Amino acid sequence: MTKFSHFLLLLMGVLLHSISFAQSKIDSLIPTRAFCITAPKTQRLNDFIKFVEDELVTRQVNTLLLRVDYNYQFESHPELRDPEALSKKDIKKLVAVCKKNNIQLIPQINLLGHQSWASTTHNLLRVYPEFDETPWVKMPEKYVWPNADGLYCKSYCPLHPNVHKIVFELVDEICDVFETTAFHAGMDEVFYIGDDKCPRCSGKDKAELFAGEVNEIRNHLALKNRKLWIWGDRLIDGKTTGIGMWEGSFNNTHRAIDLIAKDVTICDWHYERPDQTAVYFAMKGFNVITCPWRMPKFAVIQTQDMVRFRESSTAIMKPHFQGMMQTVWSSAESFMDEFYGKNTAKPSEENTSANCFRAMFSEMGRLVK
């Protein structure tokens, strides 16, 4: 072996050690480094896979949450497919790139709430209107908020005797094709629950109804050793905290926090201010992930808070502070165009999801150094 070859081997050893040390440090500081976005359309799937390889992998993202809903060619219920939907072959491309780069891939289907948006009824209630919690509330031709019906999004009735058979067949199929050990059920912003006119839910405790649905989904997933993730807003008392009706509950579902299984992962989103409710969830015994959206300065604060919570907690509490997840509420196509400067957003605009994404992961990099 020449001196030069020996030198190269030593250099490679040093580099590998440095990479291993950096990986170990970021895993210790922020175990879950996640990105949440709507699943791409087939036409832009390859662009999205390139985004994963070029942008997520380089930022050490280790969890990708894709909001699928009905953007998949379900075989169990083809009547619920979107007109243009991802095929099994498409999903397997995503599975492959995530496996290659050690990224946990998690699908989401909105359950309970978010069964409509604006003036559009989504597929489940459109095809199976009997599942509607409030069928007497008609979808308006032109949606406005606030409105006399208190309509934000429709919900399905959690006590309808036939709803879970269909819902769980969708959940099982999407989890199987994703080859995943976790599923995100959404369950945020549920305004319609336990309605007085519902023949099944009338008079029921709203916290018990919400907790019952969470546990029903959780228990079904557990049959195949899968874990449930949900958004955390319905478990926060919006009145007492002053957090409000969007990021917290005004209809008493917050008491469900003491009624649901502790192995549910809470995705704790706060978009307009960096409220520190991750501590609340952790103290209740849940794993929690803090989720920013479009405010870079708040994403930086929330990242710093997450690291501080882990560093200052007891050995029992520390593992509950799991990390950070950038959420994106535009389409994958719109986000990629924004990220690469291909849309009409003003370059000087600061509060965008792309800028928030950059800021959050830049702060992670800074903290590791």
Side-chain angles (χ1 to χ4, degrees):
M1 180 182 294
T2 66
K3 290 183 178 179
F4 183 69
S5 298
H6 184 68
F7 172 76
L8 284 178
L9 286 174
L10 287 174
L11 182 60
M12 287 176 62
V14 171
L15 289 173
L16 288 172
H17 178 75
S18 298
I19 292 170
S20 176
F21 177 78
Q23 184 67 51
S24 176
K25 186 172 182 181
I26 196 168
D27 286 343
S28 175
L29 286 176
I30 308 173
T32 299
R33 304 175 296 280
F35 184 73
C36 166
I37 196 167
T38 303
K41 301 297 183 183
T42 301
Q43 298 88 334
R44 296 287 299 275
L45 177 63
N46 290 335
D47 291 343
F48 185 75
I49 289 173
K50 189 174 187 303
F51 172 81
V52 170
E53 293 178 317
D54 292 349
E55 310 300 344
L56 299 190
V57 173
T58 57
R59 289 172 171 82
Q60 295 184 286
V61 171
N62 61 9
T63 305
L64 175 58
L65 173 59
L66 287 183
R67 298 194 305 276
V68 179
D69 291 317
Y70 305 102
N71 179 20
Y72 176 64
Q73 295 175 19
F74 288 101
E75 296 176 4
S76 59
H77 288 281
E79 74 278 12
L80 294 176
R81 298 176 181 177
D82 284 341
E84 295 182 13
L86 294 167
S87 67
K88 181 180 287 189
K89 183 178 179 181
D90 292 332
I91 296 297
K92 291 305 182 184
K93 289 181 180 179
L94 290 165
V95 171
V97 73
C98 288
K99 278 188 174 181
K100 175 185 174 183
N101 293 287
N102 297 314
I103 296 174
Q104 181 184 22
L105 183 59
I106 302 175
Q108 176 185 312
I109 299 174
N110 269 317
L111 299 186
L112 192 56
H114 276 280
Q115 300 304 314
S116 70
W117 181 255
S119 299
T120 302
T121 301
H122 292 325
N123 299 14
L124 183 67
L125 296 190
R126 179 178 52 79
V127 177
Y128 298 101
E130 64 270 26
F131 296 160
D132 194 341
E133 172 76 7
T134 55
W136 51 88
V137 175
K138 303 304 179 184
M139 299 303 293
E141 290 185 12
K142 183 178 180 181
Y143 179 84
V144 294
W145 177 270
N147 56 72
D149 290 319
L151 171 64
Y152 174 57
C153 296
K154 286 272 193 176
S155 300
Y156 65 68
C157 175
L159 299 185
H160 193 286
N162 299 324
V163 70
H164 290 117
K165 179 182 184 299
I166 292 174
V167 164
F168 289 161
E169 286 170 350
L170 297 176
V171 170
D172 288 346
E173 184 175 352
I174 202 67
C175 286
D176 286 345
V177 74
F178 268 66
E179 302 178 30
T180 187
T181 58
F183 170 80
H184 200 299
M187 304 193 72
D188 58 319
E189 299 174 331
V190 177
F191 292 175
Y192 285 155
I193 185 171
D195 194 277
D196 290 340
K197 294 182 183 179
C198 177
R200 295 164 296 271
C201 297
S202 178
K204 303 285 186 182
D205 185 296
K206 297 182 193 302
E208 291 181 1
L209 283 170
F210 188 84
E213 184 65 7
V214 172
N215 288 332
E216 185 90 15
I217 300 165
R218 177 264 173 205
N219 292 343
H220 178 79
L221 290 168
L223 295 174
K224 295 187 176 180
N225 296 315
R226 292 170 177 146
K227 298 296 185 182
L228 174 63
W229 291 30
I230 63 172
W231 304 112
D233 53 287
R234 296 306 92 190
L235 303 176
I236 297 171
D237 185 342
K239 296 178 182 178
T240 300
T241 61
I243 284 174
M245 65 184 293
W246 301 99
E247 299 184 14
S249 171
F250 269 27
N251 59 1
N252 297 318
T253 59
H254 62 276
R255 290 183 290 104
I257 196 168
D258 294 318
L259 304 174
I260 66 177
K262 298 299 184 183
D263 60 358
V264 175
T265 294
I266 306 299
C267 299
D268 182 34
W269 62 276
H270 294 293
Y271 296 157
E272 304 304 321
R273 41 179 289 145
D275 293 304
Q276 298 178 345
T277 47
V279 176
Y280 175 64
F281 288 115
M283 290 184 71
K284 287 289 187 177
F286 294 97
N287 286 355
V288 60
I289 298 167
T290 295
C291 307
W293 168 37
R294 66 184 186 94
M295 298 285 196
K297 64 179 181 180
F298 292 159
V300 169
I301 293 171
Q302 289 167 313
T303 303
Q304 294 169 349
D305 284 344
M306 180 56 65
V307 171
R308 180 166 52 85
F309 296 155
R310 286 179 58 80
E311 289 178 341
S312 61
S313 293
T314 64
I316 292 175
M317 282 275 288
K318 180 178 179 178
H320 290 314
F321 295 106
Q322 271 295 295
M324 301 292 298
M325 179 163 69
Q326 169 68 41
T327 64
V328 176
W329 296 102
S330 61
S331 68
E333 294 75 18
S334 294
F335 177 82
M336 288 188 291
D337 288 346
E338 176 198 331
F339 187 85
Y340 291 117
K342 296 179 181 178
N343 66 3
T344 57
K346 297 178 181 178
S348 60
E349 188 176 353
E350 178 185 0
N351 295 324
T352 71
S353 54
N355 286 339
C356 189
F357 168 72
R358 290 187 179 96
M360 187 179 85
F361 283 98
S362 292
E363 182 62 16
M364 289 185 196
R366 188 190 71 80
L367 291 170
V368 170
K369 292 178 182 179

